[in-house]
């Protein structure tokens, strides 16, 4: 089956063609980062309008790159949630319309399931069961994954998501949006030991997270060292970025270790935009090696939002005979454990 995947849940227009026999044929991405840069974050209405402009030309481009005629497409997979309602509606309406025009089935894909399965697109994929650490701009979750669609939430953030914390800390340091990669870059110049930031909720049992206190701690540290322009000197900014990153990374690592110990699983999958963080990858790999557990993640471009993960997740469900009816339903909030089961991946 050749599946066209469409992702428009936030500020990235992503499309891909995935073939259940030969794998990923092509993927294209248009990022709206420049469009939202002046606002320091995503402006939902601007995001929707830009998806409207970019989506169809991008679909044409990905079909050309994949050397696939639209008549050869066997199914459509589109992100239906969670995400920004207007942005989701663009991809869902276009996805459903293409399915209707081509007379092929279509399926609404859960954005976080897309992230969670993205490492299965790689050459050396993880096998089931595993623990997934989902760390994006909107979610921080630890999920027990027994098979595709068999998800049990083990823990999640009670307030800000890890990516959101990176973005907010970056804003305080006057760095551009999205802040995660900017903090990571600045942290390389800093001394992570000069300041010791808290590791929230690690002093009690459990797998939930809280990152909002870390945000306040960051602001207080910045203010305590601020010069007349409101910011500390360059080295201090770098030291704060490094201390902040280290606190988030260590907090995530402690909880991942607990989740691996609780399940007895030997595989951890990290996914979502923050999974592109180099220090987090290093730390988790190191930490879990002590428990003979291995860490898997996708290449950077498949950690952040993309169409390939949606095409892949949708392909698994369409191949299992699941489809959605022709009505356009988006779900800005959509618990992962409400998804129907599929079983083990068919690569
Ligand atoms: O998965 P994603 O592309 O979109 C959502 O579904 O939210 O994740 C975006 C988030 C942003 O908060 C961004 O700052 C963060 O991922 N991010 C990073 C890195 N690259 C992206 N955070 C830390 N380090 C990175 N290298
Ligand atoms: Zn995402």
């Amino acid at each position: 089956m050749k599946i066209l995947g469409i992702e428009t849940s936030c500020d990235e227009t992503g499309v891909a063609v995935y073939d259940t026999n030969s794998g990923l044929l092509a993927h294209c991405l248009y990022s709206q980062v420049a469009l939202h840069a002046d606002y320091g974050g995503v402006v939902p209405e601007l995001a929707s309008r830009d998806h409207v402009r970019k989506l169809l030309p991008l679909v044409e481009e990905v079909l050309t790159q994949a050397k696939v005629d639209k008549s050869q497409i066997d199914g459509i997979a589109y992100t239906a949630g969670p995400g920004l309602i207007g942005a989701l509606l663009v991809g869902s309406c276009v996805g459903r319309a293409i399915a209707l025009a081509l007379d092929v089935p279509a399926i609404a894909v859960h954005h976080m399931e897309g992230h969670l399965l993205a490492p299965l697109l790689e050459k050396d994929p993880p096998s089931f069961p595993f623990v997934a650490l989902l760390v994006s701009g909107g979610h921080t979750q630890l999920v027990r994954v027994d098979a595709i669609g068999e998800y049990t939430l083990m823990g999640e953030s009670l307030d800000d998501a890890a990516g959101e914390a990176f973005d907010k800390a970056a804003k305080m340091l006057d760095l551009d949006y999205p802040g995660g990669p900017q903090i990571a870059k600045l942290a390389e110049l800093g001394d992570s030991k000069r300041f010791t930031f808290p590791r929230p909720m690690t002093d009690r049992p459990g797998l939930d997270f809280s990152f909002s206190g870390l945000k306040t701690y960051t602001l207080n540290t910045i203010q305590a060292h601020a010069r007349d322009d409101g910011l500390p000197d360059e080295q201090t900014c770098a030291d704060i970025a490094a201390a902040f990153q280290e606190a988030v990374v260590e907090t995530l690592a402690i909880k991942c270790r607990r989740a691996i110990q609780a399940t007895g699983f030997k595989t951890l999958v990290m996914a979502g935009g923050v999974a592109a963080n180099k220090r987090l990858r290093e730390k988790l790999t190191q930490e879990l090696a002590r428990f003979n557990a291995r860490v898997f993640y996708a290449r950077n471009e498949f950690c952040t939002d993309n169409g390939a993960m949606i095409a892949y997740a949708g392909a698994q469900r369409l191949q299992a005979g699941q489809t959605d009816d022709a009505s356009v339903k988006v779900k800005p909030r959509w618990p992962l454990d409400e998804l129907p089961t599929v079983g083990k991946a068919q690569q």
Side-chain angles (χ1 to χ4, degrees), residues 7 9 111-112 115 136-137 272-273 303-305 309:
E7 156 62 34
S9 69
H111 181 78
M112 296 314 290
H115 276 305
S136 70
C303 283
T304 46
D305 291 350
M309 67 184 194

